[in-house]
């Protein structure tokens, strides 16, 4: 799969941010949560206006459960395909996680066991989803507060493995990677190094908070230096990459949002400048 037509700095479209986003002179792209869209009828008018302006739209989902032992529910895949068509999405992104088992919903994006069996199931589920969806699929690494015991391989090897076995691209969440570094000692450089530019769809950055000795990826707190540093290091390796800011709660004043978008642009430009100069890791 080749890189998608995403560029620049985007932002997650939320109703609470619709006016702020509408007034941005040139958002690179927007990401819409599939589960937050109205079940039928027209899409929200501010989102339609962005499409009319030519702003690319990505549909982001949280409920497929690609890491579950059961295959993705065909009804969920059909619903997701229809939502993508409604908003004119150029791709769909979902998480490398499971969210249900035995008919019970977890309410969380739970991490996958890093085993060969789990990777086999994940790859098969991704291939099923790709066959059912009308646009390309991008897979996102998740943040976690725990890890399964007896891991057979690293986080970087999990990402590389699913990319090798499927035609999907990667949505690299550097805030989630930052959480893994702090919570589990994950090797961030190994993860950054495993991402081929042609398989990178886009990047997430978001805020979080340290609580009880663990870093929580909340999307409701100010943006930390850690994810920005990882974004800069990624751009130093790969050059300019499409990146977007997520904010899902405790929506700040427009000046704070604008400042965070500026910080994202600055980190991206710093890394890309070193890439252009040939100072690659």
């Amino acid at each position: 799969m080749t890189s998608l037509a995403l560029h620049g700095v985007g932002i997650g479209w939320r109703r609470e941010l619709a006016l702020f986003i509408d007034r941005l002179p040139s958002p690179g792209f927007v990401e819409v949560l599939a589960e937050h869209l109205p079940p039928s009828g027209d899409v929200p008018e501010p989102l339609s206006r962005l499409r009319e302006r030519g702003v690319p739209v990505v549909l982001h989902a949280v409920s497929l459960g690609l890491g579950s032992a059961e295959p993705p529910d065909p009804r969920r895949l059909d619903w997701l395909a229809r939502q993508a068509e409604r908003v004119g999405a150029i791709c769909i992104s979902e998480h490398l996680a499971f969210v249900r088992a035995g008919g019970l919903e977890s309410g969380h994006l739970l991490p996958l066991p890093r085993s060969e069996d789990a990777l086999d199931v994940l790859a098969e589920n991704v291939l099923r989803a790709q066959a059912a969806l009308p646009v390309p699929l991008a897979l996102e690494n998740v943040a976690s507060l725990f890890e399964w015991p007896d891991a057979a391989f690293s986080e970087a090897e999990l990402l590389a493995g699913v990319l090798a076995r499927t035609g999907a691209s990667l949505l690299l969440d550097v805030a989630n990677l930052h959480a893994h570094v702090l919570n589990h000692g994950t090797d961030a450089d190994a993860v950054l190094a495993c991402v081929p530019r042609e398989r990178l769809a886009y990047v997430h950055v978001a805020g979080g908070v340290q609580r009880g000795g663990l870093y929580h990826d909340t999307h409701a707190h100010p943006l930390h230096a850690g994810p920005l540093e990882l974004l800069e290091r990624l751009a130093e390796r790969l050059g300019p990459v499409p990146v977007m800011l997520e904010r899902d709660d405790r929506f700040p004043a427009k000046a704070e949002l604008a400042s965070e978008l500026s910080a994202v642009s600055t980190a991206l430009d710093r890394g890309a400048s070193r890439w252009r100069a040939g100072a690659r890791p």
Side-chain angles (χ1 to χ4, degrees):
M1 177 179 180
T2 57
S3 298
L4 296 166
L6 294 176
H7 305 280
V9 177
I11 187 169
W13 191 90
R14 309 294 183 261
R15 288 183 180 274
E16 295 86 347
L17 302 178
L19 181 59
F20 173 82
I21 296 171
D22 198 39
R23 291 176 173 173
L24 288 173
S26 55
F29 60 100
V30 294
E31 179 195 81
V32 185
L33 285 169
E35 288 79 4
H36 286 188
L37 287 169
S40 60
D42 296 333
V43 300
E45 185 178 344
L47 190 55
S48 295
R49 286 199 299 270
L50 288 170
R51 287 177 55 193
E52 291 167 3
R53 289 169 55 187
V55 177
V57 176
V58 174
L59 187 67
H60 192 52
V62 298
S63 60
L64 270 187
L66 292 171
S68 298
E70 301 87 358
D73 186 336
R75 293 169 298 179
R76 290 182 185 272
L77 288 170
D78 180 65
W79 166 81
L80 193 56
R82 284 185 281 109
Q83 296 287 45
E85 290 167 350
R86 285 177 68 204
V87 301
I90 69 168
C91 85
I92 295 169
S93 54
E94 243 294 3
H95 299 81
L96 293 167
F98 71 91
V99 297
R100 68 183 62 82
L104 298 177
E105 298 285 336
S106 70
H108 296 278
L109 295 165
L110 297 173
L112 304 178
R114 292 201 297 274
S115 68
E116 290 294 339
D117 287 344
L119 181 56
D120 287 342
V121 170
L122 172 64
E124 183 176 341
N125 287 346
V126 169
L127 291 171
R128 286 175 181 263
Q130 287 179 291
L133 296 174
V135 293
L137 177 64
L139 306 172
E140 180 181 357
N141 58 304
V142 298
S144 68
L145 301 179
F146 71 92
E147 292 207 288
W148 297 99
D150 303 321
F153 40 79
S154 67
E155 180 77 358
E157 290 167 331
L158 171 66
L159 299 182
V162 73
L163 291 181
R165 298 181 189 208
T166 71
S169 58
L170 180 66
L171 160 52
L172 182 64
D173 191 315
V174 292
N176 290 350
L177 177 55
H178 176 65
H180 260 253
V181 171
L182 295 182
N183 295 344
H184 311 305
T186 296
D187 184 344
D189 286 319
V191 172
L192 297 180
C194 84
V195 182
R197 179 63 186 92
E198 68 274 10
R199 300 293 294 276
L200 180 66
Y202 62 111
V203 179
H204 272 173
V205 293
V209 65
Q210 196 90 21
R211 187 185 296 139
L214 292 170
Y215 185 83
H216 297 256
D217 175 56
T218 64
H219 301 183
H221 290 83
L223 190 56
H224 281 250
L228 291 174
E229 180 187 347
L230 291 174
L231 171 62
E232 187 173 333
R233 285 155 61 184
L234 179 67
E236 184 178 355
R237 287 183 176 276
L238 302 182
V241 294
V243 56
M244 57 150 281
L245 175 68
E246 289 185 288
R247 189 73 180 228
D248 294 329
D249 204 355
R250 296 184 181 178
F251 298 98
K254 61 181 182 180
E256 184 177 340
L257 272 175
S259 176
E260 291 197 345
L261 286 172
S262 178
V264 171
S265 294
T266 298
L268 183 61
D269 290 344
R270 283 177 179 165
S273 293
R274 292 198 292 275
W275 174 81
R276 293 187 187 98
R280 298 168 179 74

